[in-house]
Amino acid sequence: MTENGSSPTSRRALLLAAGSVGVAALTAACSGPAATRGAAGQPSAAASPGGSTPACVLAVKAGAGPYYLDLDRVRSDITEGREGVPFRLDLTVVRVSAGCRPVTDAAIDIWHADASGAYSTGGATFLRGTQVTDGAGRGTFRTIVPGWYAGLAPHIHFKVRPDRRTETTSQFFFPEDVLVQVYARPPYTRRRAPAHPNARDSRYRAAGAAMTLALVPDGVGYRATYTVGID
């Protein structure tokens, strides 16, 4: 399947790596140098257990692509029985212009391909869902690691809608070493995986440093935490 080059529809967003720090540390990070980044240009969440402060990183604008559906299916588990390596994504939304305070009742939509690289279309709704942030600005999704398709780096699309008038749209990528390990497991082995699933994608080369999730093992799967700051 292909993903066409739709024009960017997102506002300029600021994404903060959450790590294990609290909102106070995120507020301090917002006032610090925006150019500071963690290892390999990624947000410094991976280093946060050692006490480092997460870095503020400007997100690259990204369109919603041709597969976005405004379903408003509020649910945490979006797998609908789709096979794949389990993946838990914990997101927190904060408003940068208000001192990085958590945004309550913001809708977060995510959608992505299944292990075979296919998106749900028509009446299907697998691997799509919405969470409404709680009082701490948090929402959690339980899904699978997406497969690859069309020469693009595997990714998860997301859209944050704090109200009816504004939205922030972008996408997350995955560390290539983790993808190689995942794609050596079924059901991904039903197809021959690319040797370098990220390197083929110019969008990943341009934005991957800022938009790649820091995955950690979680049972038989993985887990990642990210804080999305909006204007």
Side-chain angles (χ1 to χ4, degrees), residues 4-199:
N4 62 18
S6 59
S7 60
T9 58
S10 62
R11 299 170 61 208
R12 197 162 179 246
L14 192 67
L15 288 110
L16 310 170
S20 59
V21 297
V23 174
L26 289 170
T27 303
C30 285
S31 61
T36 304
R37 295 186 180 184
Q42 295 183 25
S44 57
S48 60
S52 64
T53 301
C56 289
V57 181
L58 285 174
V60 176
K61 291 181 179 181
Y67 300 116
Y68 175 68
L69 298 175
D70 187 6
L71 299 177
D72 278 331
R73 291 183 64 88
V74 179
R75 55 184 181 175
S76 180
D77 189 333
I78 65 172
T79 55
E80 288 193 17
R82 236 49 185 189
E83 294 181 304
V85 171
F87 177 54
R88 171 172 170 165
L89 179 59
D90 296 314
L91 298 176
T92 302
V93 179
V94 299
R95 190 172 294 281
V96 175
S97 59
C100 294
R101 293 180 181 175
V103 179
T104 303
D105 295 329
I108 309 173
D109 305 316
I110 73 167
W111 65 102
H112 64 84
D114 66 7
S116 70
Y119 282 81
S120 56
T121 57
T125 58
F126 62 82
L127 303 179
R128 298 178 182 274
T130 302
Q131 281 284 277
V132 178
T133 57
D134 62 16
R138 298 173 300 193
T140 294
F141 293 94
R142 296 181 183 276
T143 183
I144 61 171
V145 177
W148 69 95
Y149 69 97
L152 301 179
H155 54 279
I156 290 180
H157 294 279
F158 72 90
K159 184 188 294 284
V160 177
R161 297 176 289 154
D163 52 55
R164 295 182 178 180
R165 301 180 305 278
T166 57
E167 62 182 38
T168 293
T169 306
S170 192
Q171 57 189 317
F172 293 122
F173 297 102
F174 292 79
E176 189 164 84
D177 60 336
V178 175
L179 290 175
V180 170
Q181 295 177 41
V182 168
Y183 293 161
R185 299 165 58 178
Y188 307 92
T189 49
R190 294 170 185 167
R191 298 187 295 157
R192 183 176 179 179
H196 300 286
N198 286 342

